[in-house]
């Protein structure tokens, strides 16, 4: 038995080393999390909070009105001075288009946390294609609003809020998203 075990150990070691060159494995082995990951990611993988309350926005600046939205909604709170916010704007638009193509349409809405309309106008002049946004009346109100969503008063921008078709918040997240978050976003909105 010991002799067989030595051979088995040798075979296993040989197989493990077969993929290694001088630099180590050609490709890194998947982590346990990747190896046992579910086909559809859970909301817990994406969301910082899932309050289940009806979505309400912080008070908007004079002259700004939130467009009525039907069905699933995705609200993105951003600011012109927030680098991660600015970097993800094109990604959000692409995600909304992909969700539509995948049979999960969503109304994507942008809410600016900038202090005034002039900041947004200057940003549009230097950056071109900027999504239509409403603006909060008081940027300081974002902290209390984030806390009401379960994100805490110190939640950083950007903030993402996803709702179901009835307008109930199914996911609130503070911080930027990336390309790898698409499957979790799709699963959360379904």
């Amino acid at each position: 038995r010991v002799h067989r075990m030595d051979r088995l150990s040798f075979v296993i070691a040989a197989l493990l080393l077969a993929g290694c060159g001088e630099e180590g494995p050609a490709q890194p082995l998947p982590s346990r999390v990747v190896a046992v990951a579910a086909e559809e990611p859970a909301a817990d993988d994406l969301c910082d909070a899932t309050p289940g309350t009806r979505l309400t926005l912080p008070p908007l600046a004079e002259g700004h009105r939130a467009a009525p939205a039907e069905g699933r909604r995705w609200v993105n709170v951003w600011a012109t001075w927030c680098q991660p916010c600015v970097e993800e704007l094109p990604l959000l638009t692409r995600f909304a288009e992909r969700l539509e193509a995948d049979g999960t349409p969503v109304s994507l809405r942008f809410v600016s946390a900038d202090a005034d309309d002039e900041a947004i106008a200057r940003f549009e002049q230097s950056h071109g294609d900027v999504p239509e946004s409403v603006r909060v009346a008081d940027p300081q109100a974002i902290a209390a609003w984030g806390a009401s969503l379960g994100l805490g008063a110190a939640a950083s921008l950007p903030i993402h809020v996803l709702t179901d078709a009835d307008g109930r918040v199914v996911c609130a997240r503070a911080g930027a998203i990336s390309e790898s978050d698409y499957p979790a976003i799709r699963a959360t909105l379904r």
Side-chain angles (χ1 to χ4, degrees):
R1 285 188 180 169
V2 172
H3 185 60
R4 277 192 221 161
M5 195 60 143
D6 286 342
R7 274 193 214 165
L8 182 59
S9 297
F10 176 76
V11 170
I12 291 171
L15 288 172
L16 289 173
L17 292 174
C20 298
E22 292 179 46
E23 307 288 328
Q27 294 182 342
L29 297 174
S31 69
R32 181 183 182 282
V33 173
V34 172
V36 298
E39 205 168 295
E40 285 289 334
D44 294 345
D45 298 335
L46 174 73
C47 308
D48 296 323
T50 55
T53 56
R54 291 193 70 64
L55 174 65
T56 58
L57 294 176
L60 299 178
E62 188 175 325
H64 290 262
R65 294 190 192 275
E70 296 180 6
R72 297 172 191 95
R73 285 170 260 178
W74 182 348
V75 174
N76 172 255
V77 182
W78 72 291
T80 58
W81 46 263
C82 167
Q83 189 65 33
C85 300
V86 171
E87 289 173 356
E88 76 177 5
L89 289 175
L91 180 65
L92 301 181
T93 303
R94 285 195 313 271
F95 275 10
E97 292 167 357
R98 280 176 67 186
L99 287 164
E100 177 85 28
D102 288 347
T104 309
V106 63
S107 296
L108 178 59
R109 303 288 189 242
F110 294 92
V111 177
S112 171
D114 285 288
D116 54 51
D117 291 333
E118 290 76 33
I120 299 169
R122 284 190 305 273
F123 183 82
E124 287 176 338
Q125 287 176 349
S126 63
H127 288 82
D129 194 23
V130 176
E132 185 178 328
S133 296
V134 294
R135 187 176 58 78
V136 295
D138 178 11
Q140 300 302 317
I142 301 270
W145 181 70
S148 75
L149 292 170
L151 298 176
S156 63
L157 293 182
I159 294 175
H160 299 272
V161 181
L162 307 174
T163 75
D164 63 15
D166 296 325
R168 296 206 177 279
V169 178
V170 296
C171 177
R173 173 189 174 118
I177 61 166
S178 67
E179 188 69 44
S180 65
D181 291 316
Y182 181 78
I185 292 168
R186 185 184 66 226
T188 301
L189 287 168
R190 282 195 173 154

